[in-house]
């Protein structure tokens, strides 16, 4: 058992940390409050090769794995810049296209995903089905050689920044008549595709959208993979990287909040000459939060290592556990940091309350803590399915 990063991963972590600190949380907040995107950070990260660390070298990437992308997600978040589209574009879309796309799709999209010049977002969640693909109502049907997509998607991140959206739909299996999932690469400016921005109580430069698909016509090569049989494995291929990188973003955010609070409490003096951090009532909650974040990090990198080793079933269990642990730890860390700072914790300039909405959402999305507990009860504890 080895808990050490490789020398190359150590260098990657340090370099991404330096980039994140160059921009910092004040940059992230200013972009979010002005309705802008973190384009400068994104493009610099792409130019330096950090967005494509998990993409094969033959398509312009770094040739690494999800562990490498996990480092990128965590370190940018630990610098106060938790970029959700790192999860959506390099982790989900690039993994799905890289593993299950056609060679033409890989050549067309992976180089742009690697250097940051292209973003592909992901659309599975629906108003009436959540992320339960068994109940998806978005349907793809044949029309000659083309496909027609009709349906609705909700809480779709970053559509206004992306050139394409990876849409999960249902198709009819000609041999059985049953519906089966399929993924389509849809241009965000396709006729019949409309988006409506959702107002969210989350301070983020990345926006959420409701999508309407009204007979969106797509060519045959928009279907991910060589046939409809690629749909289900392609869909599942994106779930473990999603869980792992979301967890990494949460752990990094927790680290950031604890660091900010620790700096403040170590120097803030109110009663006499001792810092407020010398009081156990202040120090112990921060120490407890730090323990929870570190425990989550252990499960995150276990999950990433298992995934990169091709042990998908074990990675699925560890990835879900990591997402649960990181979601809880990040929410605890930010809330504890706000409390430790007192009134200053609610001030924008101290940079912790600005993360309250995001970490609360991390206990819900992309899969809720309750659904993870259902998963663990069923697949780890051997209990009957409860839903």
């Amino acid at each position: 058992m080895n808990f050490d990063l490789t020398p190359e991963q150590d260098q990657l972590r340090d370099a991404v940390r330096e980039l994140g600190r160059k921009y910092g949380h004040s940059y992230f907040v200013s972009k979010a409050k002005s309705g802008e995107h973190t384009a400068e950070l994104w493009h610099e990260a792409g130019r330096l090769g950090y967005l494509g660390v998990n993409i094969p070298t033959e398509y312009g990437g770094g040739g690494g794995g999800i562990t490498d992308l996990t480092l990128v997600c965590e370190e940018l978040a630990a610098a106060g810049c938790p970029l959700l589209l790192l999860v959506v574009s390099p982790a989900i879309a690039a993994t799905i296209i890289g593993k299950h796309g056609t060679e033409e799709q890989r050549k067309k999209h992976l180089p742009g995903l690697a250097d940051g010049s292209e973003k592909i977002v992901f659309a599975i969640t629906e108003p009436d089905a959540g992320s339960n693909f068994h109940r998806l109502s978005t349907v793809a049907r044949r029309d000659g050689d083309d496909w027609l997509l009709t349906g609705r998607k909700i809480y779709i991140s970053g559509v206004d920044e992306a050139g394409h959206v990876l849409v999960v739909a249902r198709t009819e299996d000609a041999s059985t008549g049953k519906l089966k999932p399929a993924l389509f690469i849809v241009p965000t400016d396709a006729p019949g595709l409309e988006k409506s921005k959702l107002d969210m109580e989350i301070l983020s430069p990345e926006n959420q959208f409701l999508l309407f698909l009204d007979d969106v016509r797509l060519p045959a090569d928009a279907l991910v993979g060589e046939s409809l049989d690629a749909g289900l494995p392609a869909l599942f291929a994106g779930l473990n990287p999603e869980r792992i990188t979301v967890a990494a973003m949460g752990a990094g955010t927790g680290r950031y909040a604890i660091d900010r609070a620790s700096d403040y409490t170590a120097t803030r003096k109110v009663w006499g000459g001792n810092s407020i951090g010398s009081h156990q009532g202040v120090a112990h909650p921060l120490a407890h939060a730090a323990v929870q974040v570190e425990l989550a990090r252990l499960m995150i990198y276990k999950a990433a290592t298992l995934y990169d080793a091709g042990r998908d079933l074990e990675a699925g269990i560890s990835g879900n556990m990591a997402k649960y642990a990181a979601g809880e730890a990040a929410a605890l860390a930010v809330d504890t940091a706000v409390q430790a700072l007192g009134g200053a914790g609610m001030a924008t300039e101290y940079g912790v309350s600005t993360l309250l909405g995001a970490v609360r959402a991390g206990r819900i999305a992309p899969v809720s803590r309750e659904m993870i507990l259902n998963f663990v009860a069923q697949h780890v504890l051997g209990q009957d399915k409860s839903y």
Side-chain angles (χ1 to χ4, degrees), residues 9 12 52-57 61-69 307-308:
Q9 289 170 336
L12 173 65
V53 289
N54 62 311
I55 294 174
T57 55
I66 288 299
T67 301
D68 303 274
L69 187 60
Y307 182 86
D308 288 337

Side-chain angles (χ1 to χ4, degrees), residues 9 16 18 27 29 32 42 66 70 82 101 117 121 170-171 182 216 252 258 281 284 305 322 335 361 369:
Q9 289 170 336
V16 174
E18 182 179 348
Y27 164 83
V29 171
W42 184 270
I66 288 299
T70 297
S117 60
V121 295
R170 305 288 301 278
T171 63
V216 176
I258 292 168
H284 281 188
T305 300
D335 185 68
R369 62 191 300 276

Side-chain angles (χ1 to χ4, degrees), residues 238-251:
L239 296 184
N240 284 342
E242 176 191 52
R243 307 286 196 266
I244 295 167
T245 50
V246 163
M249 192 167 64

Side-chain angles (χ1 to χ4, degrees), residues 39-61:
E40 301 87 354
L41 173 55
W42 184 270
H43 290 307
E44 186 166 358
R47 178 177 59 80
L48 294 171
Y50 304 151
L51 302 181
V53 289
N54 62 311
I55 294 174
T57 55
E58 58 264 39
Y59 303 107

Side-chain angles (χ1 to χ4, degrees), residues 305-322:
T305 300
L306 289 169
Y307 182 86
D308 288 337
R311 295 160 65 178
D312 290 343
L313 181 60
E314 294 165 279
I317 292 171
S318 295
N320 275 290
M321 288 182 171

Side-chain angles (χ1 to χ4, degrees), residues 42 46-47 49 51-53 55-62 89 94 97-98 102-120:
W42 184 270
R47 178 177 59 80
L51 302 181
V53 289
I55 294 174
T57 55
E58 58 264 39
Y59 303 107
S89 196
I97 293 172
T102 64
E103 181 60 20
E104 290 75 17
Q105 289 167 345
R106 290 193 288 268
K107 288 180 178 177
K108 179 178 180 180
H109 296 290
L110 290 183
L113 293 174
D115 66 18
S117 60
E118 180 175 3
K119 295 176 184 174
I120 299 180

Side-chain angles (χ1 to χ4, degrees), residues 215-277:
D215 279 349
V216 176
R217 182 173 294 275
L218 301 170
D221 61 6
L223 175 70
V224 173
E226 300 289 351
S227 72
L228 289 175
D229 292 335
L232 191 59
L235 174 59
F236 281 115
L239 296 184
N240 284 342
E242 176 191 52
R243 307 286 196 266
I244 295 167
T245 50
V246 163
M249 192 167 64
T253 301
R255 284 173 50 201
Y256 166 83
I258 292 168
D259 286 347
R260 291 303 297 264
S262 298
D263 289 344
Y264 181 88
T265 56
T267 56
R268 173 74 167 165
K269 296 180 180 180
V270 179
W271 306 107
N274 294 329
S275 68
I276 61 173

